[in-house]
Amino acid sequence: MRTASIFRGSRGGAAIAAAAVLALATGCGSGTDEPAGGSTGTASRPTSHPVKDTSITAEPGERFTLTVDQNASTREYWYLVDPMPDSSVLVSRGQEYASGSGDEPVPGAGGRLTFTFEAKGKGTTRFTLLHCTFTTCQGNTSTQPPVTTAPSATPTTGAGTPSRAPERITYTVTVD
């Protein structure tokens, strides 16, 4: 190998040769499968939308997420409920919970629940996220929404009347 002989005998030359080999082995890209300058496709990382962004536009194949705060210790949960999205337009790709306290669970600490959706075909559809707290829903668990979403019969602290109804956020998604 002629290149190696040019750099033989000097530390600086060896360092340059090592750097050249490393550059050739790794290429000049960003180290991901994305084109230089970022992704131009829709199959890369999901787009994150703010929870209050209730009108969403997507392209077929695009994934997007909605992330909400959730705390099981205070019986605060979020659910995907009716109306469910039209599966020919949009499908749910599940949800993932991440503790707000990192790898070490801390009693009472909340976290973030991320819902992921994928646009399938052209059209418009709607879906709803239901936000339950201990004062707004009864009979629910972390994975099971309440049977009814009427206001809780349990009065709030210091009040003699039932609490308010749980929060519902309905999203309209247009896939073009």
Side-chain angles (χ1 to χ4, degrees):
M1 187 175 204
R2 184 164 174 80
T3 306
S5 66
I6 293 173
F7 297 113
R8 191 177 300 143
S10 77
R11 278 190 213 163
I16 293 171
V21 169
L22 183 60
L24 288 173
T26 59
C28 298
S30 63
T32 67
D33 290 336
E34 294 180 2
S39 173
T40 58
T42 58
S44 62
R45 270 189 224 154
T47 303
S48 177
H49 286 276
V51 175
K52 297 298 182 184
D53 184 4
T54 59
S55 181
I56 297 170
T57 302
E59 296 176 14
E62 182 179 347
R63 286 187 179 208
F64 66 88
T65 61
L66 296 164
T67 301
V68 293
D69 291 324
Q70 181 169 288
N71 191 336
S73 69
T74 60
R75 291 188 3 223
E76 176 186 22
Y77 301 109
W78 286 86
Y79 308 97
L80 177 62
V81 297
D82 288 332
M84 295 295 209
D86 176 344
S87 62
S88 68
V89 178
L90 184 74
V91 294
S92 170
R93 291 297 181 199
Q95 51 197 355
E96 184 175 326
Y97 180 79
S99 174
S101 61
D103 293 338
E104 293 294 321
V106 175
R112 313 259 303 148
L113 182 65
T114 300
F115 293 88
T116 301
F117 299 91
E118 182 178 347
K120 296 304 278 181
K122 293 184 180 195
T124 299
T125 189
R126 294 171 34 149
F127 68 90
T128 298
L129 292 183
L130 175 70
H131 180 213
C132 285
T133 66
F134 73 98
T135 62
T136 60
C137 297
Q138 290 184 347
N140 58 310
T141 65
S142 62
T143 58
Q144 181 65 41
V147 176
T148 179
T149 57
S152 170
T154 307
T156 57
T157 306
T161 59
S163 63
R164 60 186 170 82
E167 176 184 16
R168 292 177 167 274
I169 303 175
T170 300
Y171 296 85
T172 303
V173 178
T174 302
V175 179
D176 358 88

